[in-house]
Amino acid sequence: MQCEMARNNCQMKNALLAISLFLMVLMVGGCGSSRYHASGRTVIQNIGSDTMVNLAQAWAEEYAMVQPAVSVEVSGGGSGTGVAALLNGTADIANCSRRMEPDEIARVKAATGQEPTLHIVGYDALAIFVRKDNPLEEITMEQLAAIYGEKGRIRSWSDLGIQMAGCRNNEMILVSRQSNSGTYFYFREAILGNTGDFRLGTLDLHGSKDVVELVSRTPCAIGYSGMGYATSHVKMIRIAHKPGEPTYAPTVENTQAGTYPISRPLYMYTVGEPTDAVKKYLDWVQAEAGQMLVRTSGYVPRNKETGMIESSRNGGKGADIE
Amino acid sequence: MSRHRWELAVEMLIEWVIRLCGISAIIFVFGIFYFVFREGAGLLFSGRFSLAQFFTNIEWYPTSQSHVRYGGLALIVGTFSVTVLAMVIAVPFGLCAAIFVSEFCGPRLRETLKIIIELLAAIPSVVWGFVGLTLMNSVIISLFDTPIGLNVLNGGIILALMSVPIIVSIGEDALKAVPDTYREAALALGATRWQMVYRVLLPAAKNGLLAAVLLGVGRAVGETMAVLMATGHSVRIPTSALDPVRTLTATIAAELGESSVGSDHYQVLFIVGILLFSITFVVNLSADLIVRGIRGKA
């Protein structure tokens, strides 16, 4: 029987390939059913950025304990996916690790008749990772541009004056992200400016975690990822805005103070002003209980106070929810 | 009498259901091809996209702010290099294993081997990718003293491991399908076991074995997640098996999710899909012709 299957393998393969393409498109198009009051509970659909998906999941789980009548359904797929879901009505809240593009805003307006509303829900600081035994301690933004830029001059660790043990020819392996992740966009904008492009030949990995994972196992590698993804096998480099200026480590304090050069706000978008359950949820996310989870997920909370007094309030989290 | 008529009606109905199932594959394939082509065609004929650039340029900058470039050459070379290496490893391995399982080993060992090989086929591709990203990366770095272990070799080995189970099980079935009278005749003429395999079984099972190999090729060309993680996903023309590459499938998987629907980038990814379609179509067609040629001679 299997032998007959073998004859048909080519057609099967074709169909499989096509079906997978087809499914991918379905996912992009978004065909989930959202809207409120599914079986008596209010359901909030929350779709978007992969950077934020773990955080959004943590919020959703915590909120289920605070407000059992409301269920928040989280899925990732990327900032663009979130915006697409927002404008075709399958999402109530879109997670975005970047600001919406002007044409995206225009499309939301055209599709729904309302402006998208932006809510800052925390900060993400991108850290520069190298392996723990790399002697590099600090770097400037210019050097980062020369490393990652299309016409950059820094090609090996020797150009930075570093001898990296276990790395043949001192070659520098650049770890990056796939060319349309929010992290990629943000890093390119922050390091290479509005018109810059990355050098060809970077390793474009498909997840924030994978970047750290690869760097921790590759002596020659340097990479960028959210600072929440740091492990004990990698080292985060201090960064200076300009040569000779003080360097800043990727910490909560430096991000909130605005001194750490590569940090960005994380957004949630709604269509128009949020109402009812969605508004309550967003208020909760931006209030102390929600911001506590930002901190425990490895990101930086938006309110200064939450960052400072995290340990003393741990017992009372969620107490001030309406 | 009425009972008889009822039975006839049921039989007709079942026949139609089966017929529908049979032709549904055609409908699906054409429907999907139409869909993929429609999504990509807008850009293909718009003048903003140059096929010459796509096939000759390696610069893949689909989201550049200043200068968008859709050069697909590196992706095409990447797909071919990984597939070819995977087949170089998997075909001899898989066919030898199939011959061993089918002809040389005892019944108990055979059952154990088949179960384990099927287990190998059941491992999800994300897991393979993770093995490539973590374990194989470190092993290749220390074995070959290269700066990076995510490369053609890594992807090729992972893909070979993924296609071997298919080649083995289909190949074994093909060998099993050769009538025992062939074996008996060969042995009666004084052939050794190896001579029997080499001179009698392999020629007799040629079509099935070719199908096994092609199914393996299909697996390798179409695989996405594992190559995305194991090859390094890096746009460049490899100069050796130790260079990272990027494949067509991995590009679609990595980028389609975050490109906005209907944009140029989105459509280019569908053009990449059309290219993959064409590649599998050509592979299938030539395979069909080869098989037919073999049949014609026999």
Side-chain angles (χ1 to χ4, degrees):
Chain A
M1 206 184 86
Q2 245 174 329
C3 203
E4 283 155 31
M5 263 173 59
R7 303 248 161 74
N8 292 331
N9 72 77
C10 310
Q11 288 92 322
M12 251 173 61
K13 201 62 225 175
N14 245 345
L16 279 181
L17 183 74
I19 285 166
S20 52
L21 264 169
F22 186 62
L23 287 180
M24 268 187 256
V25 172
L26 278 187
M27 275 185 254
V28 172
C31 59
S33 62
S34 83
R35 286 318 85 189
Y36 307 120
H37 308 300
S39 70
R41 296 171 82 197
T42 305
V43 178
I44 299 175
Q45 294 288 346
N46 181 203
I47 304 177
S49 162
D50 281 327
T51 313
M52 293 168 69
V53 74
N54 288 337
L55 176 59
Q57 193 64 49
W59 276 326
E61 280 165 18
E62 186 78 15
Y63 199 64
M65 285 188 261
V66 179
Q67 283 283 4
V70 178
S71 136
V72 182
E73 290 180 2
V74 177
S75 59
S79 301
T81 310
V83 175
L86 196 66
L87 74 88
N88 67 22
T90 49
D92 303 299
I93 304 173
N95 299 334
C96 263
S97 54
R98 55 172 169 84
R99 273 178 183 269
M100 267 195 197
E101 308 280 340
D103 71 302
E104 286 175 331
I105 293 176
R107 285 225 304 282
V108 170
K109 259 170 90 175
T112 64
Q114 296 184 74
E115 291 261 1
T117 311
L118 161 157
H119 313 266
I120 295 180
V121 294
Y123 293 91
D124 176 21
L126 290 187
I128 304 296
F129 291 98
V130 294
R131 217 167 81 142
K132 211 167 74 185
D133 53 356
N134 193 309
L136 185 69
E137 290 294 344
E138 51 186 55
I139 200 162
T140 67
M141 295 291 273
E142 275 174 28
Q143 284 172 323
L144 282 175
I147 289 171
Y148 274 100
E150 197 182 359
K151 297 180 180 73
R153 298 173 326 276
I154 297 180
R155 301 235 149 209
S156 77
W157 290 105
S158 321
D159 293 335
L160 287 173
I162 280 173
Q163 200 58 44
M164 183 62 202
C167 172
R168 199 184 62 162
N169 295 343
N170 248 351
E171 190 179 330
M172 200 181 255
I173 295 293
L174 303 181
V175 185
S176 179
R177 292 291 309 282
Q178 86 271 14
S179 59
N180 50 359
S181 81
T183 313
Y184 172 99
F185 278 122
Y186 174 61
F187 189 78
R188 188 176 70 184
E189 185 189 319
I191 302 295
L192 305 171
N194 284 327
T195 56
D197 276 312
F198 280 99
R199 169 175 298 176
L200 272 188
T202 55
L203 275 67
D204 306 335
L205 299 195
H206 197 43
S208 301
K209 221 173 179 167
D210 286 357
V211 170
V212 179
E213 180 72 41
L214 179 64
V215 168
S216 72
R217 289 166 197 276
T218 312
C220 299
I222 183 169
Y224 62 87
S225 190
M227 75 183 215
Y229 292 91
T231 67
S232 57
H233 304 289
V234 290
K235 185 160 80 173
M236 295 192 276
I237 304 301
R238 298 171 66 91
I239 302 174
H241 285 270
K242 293 208 171 67
E245 288 187 0
T247 56
Y248 297 97
T251 62
V252 173
E253 291 70 27
N254 287 343
T255 305
Q256 285 177 338
T259 51
Y260 182 69
I262 331 174
S263 59
R264 61 170 169 179
L266 301 172
Y267 304 103
M268 279 183 160
Y269 276 96
T270 53
V271 174
E273 282 301 322
T275 53
D276 305 335
V278 176
K279 178 174 168 39
K280 276 190 183 164
Y281 181 59
L282 282 170
D283 286 346
W284 176 83
V285 160
Q286 290 170 308
E288 211 177 308
Q291 291 298 301
M292 205 77 81
L293 288 172
V294 174
R295 173 134 195 170
T296 51
S297 304
Y299 295 104
V300 180
R302 69 193 290 264
N303 343 34
K304 272 202 159 74
E305 310 77 49
T306 319
M308 306 298 178
I309 50 174
E310 135 241 35
S311 50
S312 60
R313 291 286 183 89
N314 251 349
K317 67 175 163 185
D320 56 339
I321 299 305
E322 36 181 311
Chain B
M1 186 64 190
S2 70
R3 187 180 154 76
H4 181 67
R5 197 174 276 174
W6 188 76
E7 271 175 355
L8 242 148
V10 168
E11 196 160 310
M12 284 265 285
L13 185 78
I14 290 174
E15 202 185 306
W16 269 103
V17 167
I18 289 174
R19 185 168 297 182
L20 206 70
C21 292
I23 57 175
S24 67
I26 301 177
I27 298 169
F28 277 129
V29 166
F30 276 96
I32 289 165
F33 184 76
Y34 167 74
F35 179 76
V36 170
F37 194 79
R38 196 194 62 189
E39 293 293 320
L43 185 67
L44 200 55
F45 302 114
S46 71
R48 275 169 302 163
F49 175 80
S50 140
L51 269 182
Q53 188 196 37
F54 183 73
F55 283 111
T56 57
N57 198 324
I58 68 161
E59 292 183 356
W60 179 257
Y61 283 110
T63 59
S64 170
Q65 299 280 347
S66 52
H67 183 196
V68 174
R69 281 150 284 175
Y70 299 116
L73 181 63
L75 312 182
I76 297 167
V77 174
T79 291
F80 274 102
S81 58
V82 174
T83 307
V84 166
L85 183 68
M87 286 305 108
V88 165
I89 301 170
V91 168
F93 228 97
L95 291 185
C96 290
I99 291 169
F100 177 73
V101 170
S102 155
E103 304 302 322
F104 287 93
C105 75
R108 275 187 69 179
L109 181 58
R110 173 183 309 154
E111 285 316 304
T112 327
L113 271 178
K114 282 178 80 165
I115 289 169
I116 292 174
I117 287 168
E118 268 153 32
L119 212 64
L120 202 63
I123 297 174
S125 69
V126 162
V127 175
W128 282 118
F130 190 71
V131 168
L133 184 65
T134 56
L135 179 74
M136 297 268 295
N137 176 43
S138 312
V139 169
I140 290 176
I141 287 178
S142 53
L143 267 186
F144 295 93
D145 188 29
T146 65
I148 182 71
L150 302 183
N151 47 30
V152 178
L153 181 65
N154 192 333
I157 292 173
I158 293 286
L159 282 186
L161 282 170
M162 293 174 79
S163 17
V164 159
I166 294 168
I167 298 179
V168 173
S169 52
I170 308 288
E172 195 227 340
D173 283 338
L175 289 168
K176 273 270 158 326
V178 176
D180 272 344
T181 47
Y182 282 38
R183 294 184 179 80
E184 285 156 9
L187 294 177
L189 287 171
T192 65
R193 243 171 156 182
W194 168 239
Q195 283 169 332
M196 174 191 82
V197 167
Y198 180 64
R199 293 277 179 82
V200 178
L201 291 185
L202 289 188
K206 220 177 332 190
N207 284 355
L209 293 177
L210 187 68
V213 169
L214 286 173
L215 192 54
V217 172
R219 177 88 160 119
V221 172
E223 175 48 44
T224 304
M225 215 46 220
V227 284
L228 174 58
M229 293 164 88
T231 56
H233 205 55
S234 168
V235 180
R236 60 173 100 182
I237 303 284
T239 53
S240 81
L242 297 173
D243 273 351
V245 289
R246 186 200 265 222
T247 64
L248 294 164
T249 47
T251 302
I252 297 180
E255 296 182 356
L256 196 55
E258 300 216 24
S259 63
S260 60
V261 177
S263 65
D264 279 3
H265 184 198
Y266 175 87
Q267 295 186 45
V268 165
L269 292 175
F270 274 90
I271 292 175
V272 171
I274 295 172
L275 177 65
L276 274 169
F277 244 129
S278 317
I279 292 173
T280 37
F281 182 74
V282 168
V283 168
N284 291 357
L285 195 70
S286 44
D288 241 32
L289 292 179
I290 291 170
V291 168
R292 225 166 269 176
I294 291 168
R295 269 192 206 139
K297 269 182 214 158

